[in-house]
Amino acid sequence: MSTTPDQPASYWYVDEDARSTSVMEAMRSYRAAEVAMRRRTQQSMDMGENELLVLRFLARARLRGEPVTPVALSRYLGITSASTTALLDRLARSGHITRVPNPQDRRSVLIRSSEKSDHEVRHTLSAMHERMMAVVREMDESQRDTVIRFLDAMRVAVDHIDA
């Protein structure tokens, strides 16, 4: 397949509309950069992917004022309760989470991120988040709306497994 400046070579996306292919290639490039960033973050914080997912889940839940149980984390991560317990044990030993009694159910505990964890995540990711927000701030409202619609539609497009 020959290419023009408007139509990059693409292994995955063959389309008569070179701009559509360019959008998909830009998405692939962004996803690759994001995967590399997550790998660097994991190395920097000496954590695995699920550990970082737990910390992000806990941060979001705190912002919404929602309690988090180990069962909720198991469902979110799609792992067994035994794997969740081992994961939470590692995070507790490293000082990233605390377990507190659940006032609604004395047989259960709630999981919270620690101040150490919040500080470490902010320290590790704040510069990158600021660079990303600077890109968004440069966009006008119409551009932001277009990007949001696009990303929502792409999420829906990939959010199920084909038979």
Side-chain angles (χ1 to χ4, degrees), residues 10 40 53-54 59 87 89 152 161:
S10 174
R40 289 188 308 270
L53 287 172
V54 166
L87 175 64
D89 287 346
D152 284 346
I161 298 174

Side-chain angles (χ1 to χ4, degrees), residues 99-116:
R99 292 175 169 113
V100 296
N102 184 342
Q104 307 300 321
D105 179 357
R106 292 177 13 179
R107 298 166 295 164
S108 174
V109 296
L110 298 178
I111 309 301
R112 296 186 180 143
S113 60
S114 67
E115 284 186 38
K116 169 192 175 181

Side-chain angles (χ1 to χ4, degrees), residues 1-2 20 25-26 46-47 58 64-65 67 82 98 101 115 130 135 137 142 144 163:
M1 165 171 81
S2 66
S20 295
E25 287 296 335
D46 194 27
M47 290 186 173
L58 292 172
R64 293 187 303 258
T98 58
E115 284 186 38
E130 186 53 41
V135 170
R137 286 184 195 109
S142 173
R144 287 190 294 266

Side-chain angles (χ1 to χ4, degrees), residues 145-159:
D145 289 345
T146 299
V147 170
I148 290 167
R149 280 192 309 275
F150 170 75
L151 292 174
D152 284 346
M154 292 302 279
R155 179 190 46 78
V156 168
V158 301
D159 207 18

